[in-house]
């Protein structure tokens, strides 16, 4: 069976993890964490990059940092992972979903303004499949209404919008290094990216259990103490070491994934012309990271058939999010503003094909022929 996902692995991770293990410092923020932070801060030209145990935790930190209070509203798409919403619900927010664009599966920027109320505090665009949301429009709306923008860039590392890296545009952003993402820090991991200087000092405190330990380590205070809200949002040095092995090969991983993506795309073009499948759309201003290769079938039944045909050919293919507004917790904590014209309908047509670093042409050809 050709697996839907295989965690990325370059070969250097073992050595770095062992080095970290024997370095005498295996809790976080050691040498490998510092290297990772510097790598991201240089690439993203952000004010601060902080490794976290997951993208979920990075989003939770963002929700604390923008001081979400019970009753605040946060606008996002319903077609996303639970953590996008949960991070804000944990602080008492009400989630306000608006419809997605059928071409990119991203939040429809044209629908955001109508969903804004005096309670609205933030917009959370999710860059689905590593393809950017319409960020210029979103940032303009946010500025007009004095809202925060937190990019859920879990899938977006190495992607750009008008030449700018995803995660570097909003006030803050979150990356994921879960094993299903393009880069992993030993299975679980994430990154909080801060682009607005105002959040930097407090982010370090929240991440260190609400203490000023980071300042203490830098010699800025002579003892550390409990100063604010916080939790344990700091990953182990072993995770950072594993990730470092991947950051060194970031370009190579990205190039290989993009090659696989284009191979799929070219091979499916004849089927698209026959009207059998619909191919993903990437707006011209977006360069993506080939996080995902998906197709859309005519309807949910034809998708089920496609998944079955692929399975019979030895190819594991899977659908994706069940829209959050139709989930049990979603019904409790959210509202959907406007019409659900595309969120449910488009999600029911979408199927994801195997996509990972090291996927070979032969496997891609197998998937294409299973649907031909
Ligand atoms: C993977 C993912 C997350 C969660 O990432 P974790 O690192 O597993 O917490 C959040 N949002 C989106 C859009 C994701 O794809």
């Amino acid at each position: 069976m050709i697996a839907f996902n295989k965690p990325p692995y370059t070969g250097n991770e073992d050595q770095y993890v062992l080095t970290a293990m024997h370095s005498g410092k295996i809790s976080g923020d050691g040498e490998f964490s510092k290297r990772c932070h510097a790598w991201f801060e240089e690439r993203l030209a952000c004010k601060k990059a902080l490794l976290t145990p997951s993208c979920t935790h990075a989003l939770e930190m963002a929700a604390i940092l923008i001081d979400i209070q019970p009753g605040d509203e946060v606008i996002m798409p319903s077609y996303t992972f639970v953590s996008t919403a949960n991070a804000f619900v944990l602080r008492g927010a009400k989630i306000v979903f608006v419809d997605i664009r059928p071409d990119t599966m991203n939040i429809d920027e044209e629908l955001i303004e109508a969903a804004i109320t005096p309670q609205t505090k933030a917009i959370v665009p999710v860059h689905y499949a590593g393809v950017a949301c319409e960020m210029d429009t979103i940032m303009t709306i946010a500025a007009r209404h004095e809202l925060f923008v937190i990019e859920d860039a879990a899938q977006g590392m190495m992607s750009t919008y008008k030449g700018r890296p995803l995660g570097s545009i909003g006030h803050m952003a979150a990356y994921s290094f879960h094993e299903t993402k393009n880069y992993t820090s030993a299975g679980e991991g994430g990154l909080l990216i801060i682009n607005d200087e105002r959040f930097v000092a407090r982010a370090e405190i929240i991440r260190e259990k609400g203490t000023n330990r980071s300042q203490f380590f830098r010699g800025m205070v002579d003892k550390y103490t409990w100063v604010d809200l916080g939790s344990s949002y700091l990953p182990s040095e072993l995770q950072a070491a594993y990730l470092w092995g991947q950051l060194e090969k970031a370009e190579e991983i990205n190039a290989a994934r993009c090659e696989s993506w284009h191979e799929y795309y070219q091979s499916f073009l004849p089927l698209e012309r026959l009207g059998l499948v619909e191919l993903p759309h990437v707006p011209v201003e977006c360069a993506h990271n080939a996080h995902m290769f998906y197709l859309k079938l005519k309807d949910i039944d034809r998708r089920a058939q496609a998944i079955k045909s692929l399975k019979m050919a030895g190819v594991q293919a899977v659908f994706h999010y069940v829209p959050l507004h139709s989930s049990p917790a979603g019904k409790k904590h959210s509202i959907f503003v406007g019409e659900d014209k595309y969120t449910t309908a488009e999600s029911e047509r979408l199927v994801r094909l195997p996509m990972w670093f090291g996927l070979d042409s032969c496997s891609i050809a197998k998937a294409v022929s299973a649907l031909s």
Side-chain angles (χ1 to χ4, degrees), residues 39-52:
W39 192 91
F40 286 111
E41 282 165 12
E42 195 196 320
R43 288 215 150 218
L44 297 166
C46 59
K47 297 291 187 296
K48 196 87 197 164
L50 293 167
L51 291 175
T52 56

Side-chain angles (χ1 to χ4, degrees), residues 53-57 59 80-81 83-84 126 152 154-155 175-178 180-181 188-190 291 320-321:
S54 66
C55 174
T56 302
H57 278 160
L59 291 166
T80 183
F81 188 61
S83 296
T84 320
V126 179
D152 183 338
Q155 305 171 13
Y175 280 175
S176 172
F177 306 127
H178 185 259
T180 52
K181 301 305 196 302
E188 302 279 354
H291 171 62
H320 211 183
Y321 307 127

Side-chain angles (χ1 to χ4, degrees), residues 33 101 120 227 237 364:
S33 298
R101 294 165 42 153
T120 307
V227 291
E237 192 58 10
I364 293 170

